[in-house]
Amino acid sequence: MSTNNDDEKPPTDVDAGADGENEGNEEDHRHEDAAEILSNLLQNQAALNFNSPNMTAATNASNTNVSVGEAQNAAVQQLLEAMKGDVSQGVGSEKGAKHAFWDTQPMLDEKGAANEPNYHQPIVPNKPPSELRQEPYNMPKGFEWSEIDIHDPSQRDEVYDLLYQNYVEDDGCVFRFDYSRDFLMWALTPPGYQKQFHLGVRSSKSNRLMALITAVPATVRVYQAEKPMVEVNFLCVHKKLRSKRLAPVLIKEITRRVNHTGVFQAVYTAGVVLPGHVASCRYYHRTLEPRKLIDIGFTRLPPRMTMARMQKLYKLPTETATPGLRPMTPDDVPGAHALLSKYLQKFQLATVFTQEEFAHWMLPRKGVVSSFVAEKVDDVGTKTITDFCSFYHLHSSCVGNTKHPTLFAAYSFYNVATSVDLTELMRDCLILAKNEGHDVFNALNLMENERFMTDLKFGMGDGNLQYYVYNWLCPTMKEKDVGIVLL
């Protein structure tokens, strides 16, 4: 659904098979199509996060169904069907079929998992640096590696432009994800980030950024095992080059670089089922501005439902009810970090935040992430953070819509309630999101989120989001056991 600058064509002298010492390697050639599908799956995962075909909104006693985004959903459904077709042709979607790419990867084997005696360890043992490939993989002719300096405004603009034009597309050209430059800075610069993991590919002729893959460090607990990992994101290849075998090389090179830092596990999500997922979650959506959502084609007015009734159905108070709920400040970080860390111990897959990491991810940033706390004060004046809620901002351009050029979406991040019921805290979170100008509030059914979804009139989407842990053997888990939210 993107537009492109046709004045600058992709390099015409690309040797699509060139891969340095791997040139002519039959295994690479056998896996190239599957890896390209992986590229599409990862870079389009946000399409499922954003909207799901045939999504229905929960209602009050009227039980009226509200389906979301017919025009948009039709376009995205075409994309999903095409992706499913690619999966069946490229890696095998039928039960028992072989998966040319994933059968070679150290991923959980679901068929043998039930009888696996050796859980909670790497599938492939860690290797010493001397046994790892020392040199970067050679790019196809006409391309070269480029480490991105996300702090450089001009390079940040290049990343923004690449993602905006190529990261999420639909045939209908209705909506386009718009990761803001500030969002990209936040997403790619947590404590301990490494520039070498912001890996780009440039055209040798024009120096134009043509592809990207990123990884950021995180400590992740899988059941009882805490492991240093990376979170992989933003795998994006310019749409004109998706047949040029860039994605397999990107994946191999980011793996090589991460391995050289002593890290051999990664966590990521994808919208389509691939072998080896440890959990599957579903997105739910809560309408905040029904009139606008109808105007832009994101929601339709159901039969026998008037606009006035629909607005009344989704109306929220203007003021929050949780006593003392306010924006989080740096002074709140120690108490809020302790509260969230204790809460996340309930779950089997969770990030283990340091206080510095918590501050990076949770402290409010205008237009990027919003976080709120409530506190109590005891008889001697000691303050304790009792409740915490947060959401991040991921908007979309409404292509060609001059009246409503942007769809403002909030995504539930991390939430902990101890002094009030979680439903009451999340009602306040919806109020805060609406007061900040958002049109829709999205949440996965992980952690304890299902407790509030019906009462707060969230609609269930059709699309699932699969969680994967690379090179780690563990049992699969239910969505309620997942305690990690990836951007």
Side-chain angles (χ1 to χ4, degrees):
M1 74 183 180
S2 64
T3 58
N4 295 280
N5 181 2
D6 292 329
D7 293 333
E8 182 174 6
K9 301 295 184 182
T12 56
D13 60 347
V14 173
D15 178 358
D19 189 20
E21 69 187 39
N22 289 322
E23 183 174 357
N25 186 312
E26 291 184 2
E27 182 176 357
D28 283 347
H29 288 198
R30 212 169 41 242
H31 299 156
E32 67 195 17
D33 291 338
E36 289 296 337
I37 292 168
L38 169 65
S39 170
N40 289 336
L41 296 180
L42 292 179
Q43 63 193 291
N44 285 296
Q45 70 179 50
L48 287 174
N49 301 355
F50 169 56
N51 83 85
S52 303
N54 304 319
M55 192 274 282
T56 60
T59 66
N60 57 10
S62 66
N63 290 324
T64 304
N65 288 331
V66 181
S67 88
V68 168
E70 285 187 324
Q72 180 200 16
N73 289 338
V76 174
Q77 187 64 44
Q78 291 176 9
L79 171 66
L80 296 177
E81 290 302 324
M83 290 165 62
K84 291 175 184 176
D86 286 344
V87 170
S88 64
Q89 296 172 23
V91 287
S93 61
E94 297 298 325
K95 185 175 181 180
K98 292 184 179 298
H99 297 79
F101 179 76
W102 287 107
D103 283 350
T104 69
Q105 301 304 298
M107 300 297 294
L108 177 67
D109 181 359
E110 297 160 13
K111 290 182 289 187
N115 300 316
E116 176 56 56
N118 298 313
Y119 277 138
H120 311 301
Q121 64 179 352
I123 297 171
V124 174
N126 299 354
K127 295 181 179 180
S130 61
E131 295 183 16
L132 300 172
R133 179 185 173 112
Q134 301 300 308
E135 298 299 323
Y137 286 92
N138 291 333
M139 292 302 302
K141 185 179 178 182
F143 301 98
E144 57 192 45
W145 294 115
S146 175
E147 293 181 3
I148 303 299
D149 182 0
I150 199 67
H151 288 279
D152 180 349
S154 63
Q155 294 189 50
R156 189 160 63 247
D157 286 346
E158 290 181 287
V159 172
Y160 171 84
D161 290 339
L162 177 70
L163 295 176
Y164 183 69
Q165 296 185 28
N166 300 278
Y167 194 50
V168 176
E169 301 178 342
D170 69 317
D171 293 338
C173 299
V174 179
F175 298 94
R176 178 181 297 158
F177 272 86
D178 191 350
Y179 288 89
S180 71
R181 292 163 178 82
D182 289 340
F183 188 102
L184 293 172
M185 276 291 294
W186 175 63
L188 295 177
T189 60
Y193 83 91
Q194 297 192 38
K195 180 182 174 183
Q196 66 164 325
F197 296 166
H198 301 166
L199 186 58
V201 175
R202 293 187 182 275
S203 164
S204 300
K205 287 183 177 180
S206 67
N207 202 41
R208 183 181 180 185
L209 185 66
M210 305 302 291
L212 180 73
I213 190 170
T214 71
V216 296
T219 299
V220 177
R221 178 176 51 78
V222 189
Y223 291 93
Q224 300 305 312
E226 289 187 13
K227 300 294 295 182
M229 297 192 189
V230 293
E231 298 173 356
V232 178
N233 205 349
F234 300 121
L235 173 55
C236 179
V237 177
H238 192 287
K239 69 177 185 177
K240 293 184 178 180
L241 300 179
R242 289 179 186 168
S243 64
K244 301 303 181 183
R245 301 176 183 171
L246 293 183
V249 191
L250 281 164
I251 295 165
K252 291 187 290 185
E253 178 60 19
I254 198 70
T255 301
R256 186 192 72 84
R257 293 182 180 218
V258 170
N259 289 168
H260 268 284
T261 67
V263 175
F264 293 87
Q265 280 74 41
V267 60
Y268 60 95
T269 57
V272 177
V273 178
L274 299 170
H277 67 282
V278 298
S280 180
C281 300
R282 186 181 293 268
Y283 260 97
Y284 286 68
H285 317 269
R286 208 291 185 177
T287 294
L288 301 178
E289 292 289 352
R291 182 179 291 276
K292 178 178 176 180
L293 295 183
I294 289 173
D295 285 348
I296 64 176
F298 188 84
T299 304
R300 68 174 177 86
L301 195 64
R304 299 179 298 279
M305 171 72 78
T306 65
M307 178 61 71
R309 288 179 59 199
M310 190 170 182
Q311 288 179 311
K312 182 178 180 180
L313 174 66
Y314 291 110
K315 185 177 181 180
L316 290 164
T318 57
E319 301 293 333
T320 58
T322 302
L325 190 64
R326 56 172 175 77
M328 189 173 76
T329 69
D331 290 341
D332 300 320
V333 166
H337 170 254
L339 179 69
L340 180 62
S341 297
K342 181 179 179 180
Y343 178 70
L344 291 179
Q345 292 174 8
K346 294 183 176 183
F347 308 108
Q348 305 300 339
L349 178 64
T351 302
V352 181
F353 293 106
T354 66
Q355 198 170 114
E356 184 183 11
E357 290 168 339
F358 176 88
H360 172 86
W361 291 119
M362 306 302 169
L363 277 175
R365 299 183 183 216
K366 186 176 181 180
V368 176
V369 61
S370 299
S371 301
F372 304 86
V373 298
E375 65 184 1
K376 69 176 181 180
V377 182
D378 63 18
D379 295 339
V380 296
T382 302
K383 297 180 179 180
T384 303
I385 301 295
T386 57
D387 305 275
F388 172 81
C389 64
S390 59
F391 53 86
Y392 62 88
H393 308 225
L394 177 52
H395 309 318
S396 294
S397 295
C398 305
V399 179
N401 193 318
T402 56
K403 181 180 179 181
H404 299 295
T406 303
L407 171 64
F408 297 101
Y411 285 76
S412 178
F413 205 19
Y414 290 93
N415 311 290
V416 187
T418 66
S419 74
V420 297
D421 185 78
L422 180 61
T423 299
E424 299 309 310
L425 180 66
M426 292 309 298
R427 179 178 285 108
D428 284 347
C429 199
L430 293 176
I431 293 169
L432 293 164
K434 181 178 174 65
N435 290 347
E436 289 190 19
H438 291 89
D439 305 314
V440 64
F441 190 99
N442 302 319
L444 286 163
N445 64 339
L446 40 64
M447 293 186 266
E448 297 178 305
N449 288 357
E450 286 194 343
R451 285 174 50 188
F452 61 76
M453 287 176 167
T454 299
D455 288 345
L456 296 182
K457 302 183 178 71
F458 277 75
M460 184 176 67
D462 283 349
N464 288 331
L465 191 67
Q466 276 62 238
Y467 278 75
Y468 299 86
V469 180
Y470 184 85
N471 192 30
W472 191 254
L473 189 63
C474 68
T476 57
M477 61 187 72
K478 300 294 185 180
E479 54 274 329
K480 65 182 179 63
D481 295 322
V482 177
I484 183 172
V485 178
L486 300 181
L487 305 179

